[in-house]
Amino acid sequence: MLIGADYYPEHWPTDRWPTDAKLMREAGIGVVRMAEFAWNRLEPQEGRYDFAWLDAVMKLQAKHGIRVILGTPSATPTAWQVAKWPDLLPVKADGTTFPFGIRKHYCPRHEGYRDACRRMADAMGRRWGRSKQVIGWQIDNEFGGIDFGAPCFCPRCVGQWRAWLRRHYGTLEALNAAWGTAFWAQEYTDWDQIVAPMQPVTSQNPSLHLDWRRFASDGIVEFQQVQVDALRPHVRGQFISTNLMGMFEDLDYEALATPLDVAGWDNYPIWAAEAVDPAMGHAVTRGLKQKSFLVFEQQSGPSGWNAMTGTPRPGQIRMWTWQSIGHGADAVLYFRWRACRFGTEQYWHGILQHDGLPGRRYKEVRQVAREVAKLSKALDGTEVRAPAALWHTYDVNWVIRFQPGCDKMTFWDEAKRFGKAFARRGIAYDVVTPKADLGRYRLLVCPHAVILREDHVEALRKFAQAGGTVVFTSRSGERGWTNIITDLARPGLLGKMTGCRIPEYDMVRQDKPGQIEMADTGRLYDAFGWCDLLETDGAAVVARYAAEFYKGTAAVTVNRVGKGRVYYVGASAEDAFYDDFLARLADEVKLPMLPPLPLNVEVLERRGKAGRFLIVINYTADAQTIDIAVTGKNLLGKGTRGPKIELEPYGVQVVQAR
Ligand code: GAL
Ligand code: ZN
């Protein structure tokens, strides 16, 4: 377990560096991440690399036993690079050029810049790839195209887009068929006729939109790969990673994470009213490699660019840290060591204020770091073993985002409905993609699986066949892989597996909900969103609609498949529905459950040779009393704890279960 900080020595006079290193040491900071925006200092002039200053900082830190994660600086091309390559600046969807001076001001397909990134990564790898002090690498920073996720629309990208399509479809005939260009006279007779979906043309062909998203994502994945390939031959015993963004969905994180050794993300929970938000980000990151991960950046102060959030309440930094560890983080680095006096992020506070004096937040970090150090021996090597997972492809997210279909549908809202229900009973879940080893789970929930490939369907069917439970929610099975709606009876390729048919559907607003009734208990729940009206074709009815002209029509069904079960949930519903439904599922597949926990209290578990460790966090500002169903050693204090546990506001307890 490591506690760390994101550090920008280039922002401070060199005579401050020793003080920082000393203060870090005293706070228990064991690792710093550096250099991810420092291209201008690492290569002040083309071809003249200057690594001496970074060596000097590292040397000071080494004296205090501080290790290092190095960032490759590709997120911030320098002014001299932009002057050299005016066409490096990306083109936005509105046709204007993204300016220098923010960041991510690069077209990911610019050959010259890709080569510069390759040379930089190679040079850094040569210099530090065998350093014992360096534990790993962060490539770039929060990949996602231009600033907040828009891909580049420059002529180079559009040219390569056409080539990409040609590679994927081979002939225009195939593309025309796959996209359904018969609609509105879109049939192409030359590849050069195909455009990119620029604004304000929001209602371009949905298949074109989806392919453009895939193409844009591929560009970033390739851009990252150039640096992975450059570093790989040099690094020894160091990980290569990048800082992801949890529920961010502009990029295919499955593809992005594939060449990395470990996943990591940036966690800013001050915006998250509910524990499920950071929890879901952790579950995504953990699910990508199905193992423990890092938090490269975690909130440690009030934040904002031009306007700020409030400051973390006493105990919140500590609680967020333990929440991260409880979800499987093996290292947590705080963003940032010290608030910067200048630049866009003047208001993005860190552990220290602008004045550099240790204050309340510094003391809280020191407390957490001490606790973590004390428990490291016990927790090192333990991990979260989730028995359940949420399954998706990024294509699902993209299709829903472009065409929500009904009132504000998002993949993550549906995922969070289940996430909250899992948390209520202390059941861990990963968020996984098709590459994952599904054999680890007993329960798979596929929220709004609107677009599917045949091999996905086959993998999910096999999972059920072998005894697992699969849950699909509304709109599942709607589309084939090129984003065309199925001509089979809905739910399309899932018809056989689910044993149901969907002759019709209704759109119901969340503020004017309908109702569903559970068949066995008679309990009623508000239901809304995309409501599939189900007809059974082999399946049994679990719940029925209890309102509207379709009162009595099946809303939730279950089908036996081999040794397992496949559910279809036709509507979204209020939280109580998921609580009851999940209790039923967990019971069927024999997942251990805790007595219901209050909202925003989490009981997390890491396991290993040393046993079971329960990390209990209170995400709320109110005291809570809960039942963790076991007793054990109180690792953050004395004596034993449980089964009843009292938690103070933002409180944390760590219990080693007997
Ligand atoms: C993160 C980013 C950091 C810093 C921070 C505060 O998203 O990776 O570099 O910008 O936000 O804005
Ligand atoms: Zn471009």
Side-chain angles (χ1 to χ4, degrees):
M1 296 288 137
L2 271 176
I3 292 294
D6 301 309
Y7 184 44
Y8 300 91
E10 67 274 25
H11 297 169
W12 305 101
T14 52
D15 60 6
R16 168 74 192 191
W17 296 350
T19 312
D20 282 335
K22 195 164 155 278
L23 282 175
M24 284 174 184
R25 177 60 184 172
E26 282 164 14
I29 299 294
V31 60
V32 290
R33 182 199 63 186
M34 298 190 291
E36 82 278 13
F37 298 121
W39 195 312
N40 55 331
R41 297 296 174 91
L42 295 167
E43 191 185 2
Q45 275 171 8
E46 184 162 20
R48 185 167 75 74
Y49 293 105
D50 178 4
F51 294 169
W53 64 274
L54 194 49
D55 269 333
V57 195
M58 284 168 64
K59 217 169 139 194
L60 284 168
Q61 290 161 344
K63 268 208 242 160
H64 294 277
I66 297 168
R67 288 185 278 176
V68 171
I69 296 171
L70 287 173
T72 66
S74 53
T76 43
T78 63
W80 62 257
Q81 282 168 323
V82 173
K84 177 176 175 190
W85 297 304
D87 65 342
L88 174 59
L89 294 175
V91 174
K92 295 197 286 181
D94 65 3
T96 61
T97 299
F98 196 76
F100 174 78
I102 305 185
R103 56 181 166 179
K104 313 282 182 75
H105 44 281
Y106 62 82
C107 164
R109 292 189 159 82
H110 192 281
E111 294 81 10
Y113 190 57
R114 275 195 184 180
D115 194 49
C117 292
R118 184 189 56 71
R119 280 183 281 120
M120 175 59 81
D122 175 75
M124 291 179 80
R126 277 173 204 278
R127 180 70 155 235
W128 293 296
R130 282 154 208 242
S131 156
K132 291 267 181 300
Q133 193 184 358
V134 174
I135 62 168
W137 298 81
Q138 171 190 304
I139 302 206
D140 203 281
N141 188 81
E142 295 189 342
F143 277 122
I146 308 171
D147 211 22
F148 298 109
C152 177
F153 293 83
C154 78
R156 177 189 317 104
C157 284
V158 174
Q160 291 190 26
W161 153 237
R162 292 172 184 146
W164 186 97
L165 291 170
R166 210 171 182 148
R167 276 203 309 282
H168 278 74
Y169 292 103
T171 64
L172 279 173
E173 224 179 350
L175 177 138
N176 282 322
W179 285 9
T181 51
F183 189 76
W184 283 352
Q186 287 167 359
E187 274 144 349
Y188 300 105
T189 55
D190 192 318
W191 294 98
D192 288 342
Q193 295 159 359
I194 304 173
V195 297
M198 294 178 92
Q199 305 292 349
V201 190
T202 50
S203 291
Q204 265 280 12
N205 183 311
S207 303
L208 174 146
H209 259 285
L210 178 61
D211 272 342
W212 172 258
R213 228 341 119 190
R214 289 168 172 157
F215 163 77
S217 180
D218 280 4
I220 298 287
V221 172
E222 287 160 18
F223 180 82
Q224 174 186 255
Q225 192 62 41
V226 169
Q227 299 187 48
V228 173
D229 291 344
L231 280 174
R232 200 51 92 190
H234 303 305
V235 305
R236 293 286 178 277
Q238 303 169 342
F239 64 77
I240 299 179
S241 187
T242 190
N243 52 341
L244 304 168
M245 293 180 277
M247 287 180 274
F248 183 78
E249 58 177 16
D250 286 2
L251 294 177
D252 184 341
Y253 272 3
E254 176 186 76
L256 201 65
T258 298
L260 304 176
D261 301 312
V262 62
W265 78 295
D266 296 345
N267 180 24
Y268 289 95
I270 210 152
W271 283 291
E274 297 198 294
V276 69
D277 289 285
M280 192 62 72
H282 290 308
V284 168
T285 315
R286 195 179 57 240
L288 283 169
K289 304 299 271 187
Q290 293 183 292
K291 63 176 189 184
S292 299
F293 58 91
L294 287 87
V295 175
F296 281 101
E297 299 180 13
Q298 182 155 298
Q299 189 110 36
S300 64
S303 336
W305 278 5
N306 302 327
M308 263 188 285
T309 66
T311 191
R313 285 0 204 187
Q316 260 186 324
I317 296 177
R318 172 174 178 257
M319 178 271 289
W320 291 328
T321 308
W322 279 110
Q323 187 190 26
S324 296
I325 294 172
H327 280 281
D330 277 353
V332 177
L333 283 76
Y334 297 106
F335 190 88
R336 49 195 293 160
W337 170 243
R338 176 175 174 185
C340 195
R341 294 176 49 224
F342 40 74
T344 306
E345 297 195 338
Q346 284 170 311
Y347 280 158
W348 208 290
H349 294 67
I351 301 171
L352 303 181
Q353 295 284 104
H354 300 93
D355 60 17
L357 299 172
R360 176 181 71 85
R361 301 195 302 276
Y362 176 87
K363 287 183 191 136
E364 189 167 320
V365 164
R366 188 174 61 194
Q367 181 198 346
V368 195
R370 280 187 187 151
E371 290 173 351
V372 171
K374 196 176 135 214
L375 268 55
S376 258
K377 235 171 134 192
L379 292 178
D380 279 350
T382 61
E383 57 182 5
V384 174
R385 292 191 200 145
L390 301 176
W391 183 98
H392 77 138
T393 59
Y394 282 86
D395 308 77
V396 166
N397 298 50
W398 296 334
V399 168
I400 295 173
R401 190 163 58 170
F402 178 60
Q403 288 175 297
C406 81
D407 207 27
K408 300 191 188 125
M409 176 189 280
T410 77
F411 171 83
W412 295 113
D413 284 344
E414 186 83 341
K416 284 195 257 179
R417 291 179 187 118
F418 283 93
K420 277 159 84 167
F422 279 123
R424 184 184 279 290
R425 306 308 295 268
I427 301 170
Y429 58 94
D430 292 339
V431 176
V432 297
T433 56
K435 272 191 191 157
D437 164 20
L438 299 183
R440 300 181 177 204
Y441 310 110
R442 274 179 275 168
L443 172 59
L444 273 189
V445 178
C446 312
H448 303 313
V450 61
I451 181 167
L452 288 163
R453 259 185 357 218
E454 282 182 34
D455 58 308
H456 300 151
V457 176
E458 190 44 30
L460 296 168
R461 197 191 57 77
K462 275 201 182 130
F463 177 84
Q465 191 88 37
T469 290
V470 182
V471 179
F472 293 102
T473 84
S474 60
R475 230 180 138 183
S476 289
E478 182 177 287
R479 288 154 191 256
W481 204 240
T482 68
N483 212 5
I484 286 188
I485 294 181
T486 178
D487 58 357
L488 302 170
R490 292 174 84 104
L493 293 175
L494 301 177
K496 229 173 128 213
M497 202 169 144
T498 55
C500 70
R501 258 180 281 140
I502 306 167
E504 224 187 325
Y505 32 75
D506 193 20
M507 303 302 124
V508 180
R509 276 172 43 184
Q510 193 161 352
D511 57 352
K512 288 192 183 150
Q515 270 194 329
I516 54 178
E517 181 181 348
M518 207 67 105
D520 55 354
T521 60
R523 201 167 161 196
L524 292 167
Y525 309 88
D526 280 357
F528 50 85
W530 180 296
C531 296
D532 282 320
L533 311 183
L534 309 179
E535 238 173 38
T536 57
D537 182 11
V541 176
V542 176
R544 296 179 195 280
Y545 290 100
E548 267 301 337
F549 75 90
Y550 42 88
K551 188 170 175 190
T553 302
V556 180
T557 57
V558 59
N559 196 32
R560 296 296 313 217
V561 174
K563 290 189 212 144
R565 294 181 178 84
V566 177
Y567 282 85
Y568 194 99
V569 180
S572 296
E574 63 178 303
D575 289 352
F577 167 78
Y578 298 92
D579 291 343
D580 294 349
F581 180 53
L582 207 75
R584 169 195 176 125
L585 300 180
D587 207 43
E588 277 173 2
V589 293
K590 308 208 165 33
L591 300 186
M593 277 183 278
L594 293 177
L597 295 165
L599 194 64
N600 297 318
V601 170
E602 291 184 327
V603 178
L604 310 165
E605 184 180 316
R606 294 183 65 127
R607 257 173 208 246
K609 285 200 200 87
R612 287 173 59 204
F613 299 88
L614 301 184
I615 296 166
V616 186
I617 64 124
N618 178 6
Y619 201 81
T620 76
D622 307 309
Q624 308 270 3
T625 306
I626 61 159
D627 181 349
I628 60 167
V630 291
T631 52
K633 194 168 158 201
N634 172 17
L635 295 185
L636 290 180
K638 291 192 193 92
T640 57
R641 278 276 185 285
K644 222 177 104 194
I645 282 206
E646 272 155 27
L647 290 159
E648 55 194 27
Y650 307 123
V652 178
Q653 304 258 344
V654 182
V655 179
Q656 181 169 16
R658 286 242 176 78

